[in-house]
Amino acid sequence: MTDPRKPSVLFVCVHNAGRSQMAAAFLADLAQGKVEVRSAGSAPADTVNPAVVQAMAEVGIDISAETPKVLTAETVRASDVVITMGCGDACPVFPGKRYLDWKLEDPAGRGVAAVRPIRDEIRARVRELLSDLTD
C-alpha cells in the first residue's frame, strides 16, 4: 500500500532571496497542490531580490509577498527531498531524506537580464523533479 501523503520538498540557499524562492514558486505553481513546498536560507536576507521578483513576474508568477525564512532542523526533518543551492555544510542532514545539490549561479547583485537564464534553468530542473516525484 502506498503512502497517500503528499511528497514534500525543501529548497535551500544561503539568503532564501533568489534561487530557492524561484524554485519553490515554480514547484508550487506546476504541482498544483500535489507537493508540499518549502524554502529557507542558512542566513536569510531581509527581502527577496527585486530582480528575482521581476524575472518571476515576467513568467506570470508573483513572489512579491514572499519573505526569506530561516532554515531550521525541523523544516529539514519535515521534508522528503532537500535541494540545496549553495548553502554547503549549513544544511543539517538526516537519515532517510533525499538530498540533491543544484549547482546554480547566484542571482545576488545581478540585474533581471542576468537572472532570466538562472530562472529558466531552475524551471527546467523543477519540471524534471516534479516528473520524478509524481511518476
Side-chain angles (χ1 to χ4, degrees):
M1 191 166 173
T2 61
D3 185 349
R5 189 175 67 93
K6 290 191 275 191
S8 59
V9 177
L10 170 63
F11 294 100
V12 183
C13 65
V14 175
H15 301 297
N16 190 221
R19 295 167 289 190
S20 57
Q21 290 283 352
M22 288 189 282
F26 276 129
L27 184 56
D29 183 64
L30 294 168
Q32 299 179 337
K34 295 179 187 146
V35 177
E36 189 173 330
V37 182
R38 301 178 178 92
S39 72
S42 52
D46 293 330
T47 60
V48 175
N49 179 333
V52 167
V53 172
Q54 183 180 346
M56 292 300 286
E58 290 176 354
V59 295
I61 299 176
D62 180 6
I63 62 168
S64 62
E66 295 297 324
T67 56
K69 295 166 244 9
V70 69
L71 176 66
T72 65
E74 294 76 35
T75 307
V76 176
R77 197 175 286 115
S79 302
D80 299 313
V81 180
V82 179
I83 299 175
T84 59
M85 305 173 193
C87 71
D89 294 337
C91 299
V93 175
F94 293 100
K97 305 292 175 198
R98 180 176 166 201
Y99 290 88
L100 301 171
D101 185 38
W102 289 358
K103 304 269 188 246
L104 297 161
E105 289 199 41
D106 189 347
R110 297 172 181 233
V112 70
V115 172
R116 286 182 190 118
I118 301 167
R119 173 201 66 201
D120 295 344
E121 182 175 350
I122 289 171
R123 179 172 38 198
R125 289 180 187 218
V126 166
R127 280 192 174 126
E128 187 175 314
L129 173 69
L130 181 59
S131 174
D132 185 43
L133 289 173
T134 57
D135 277 350

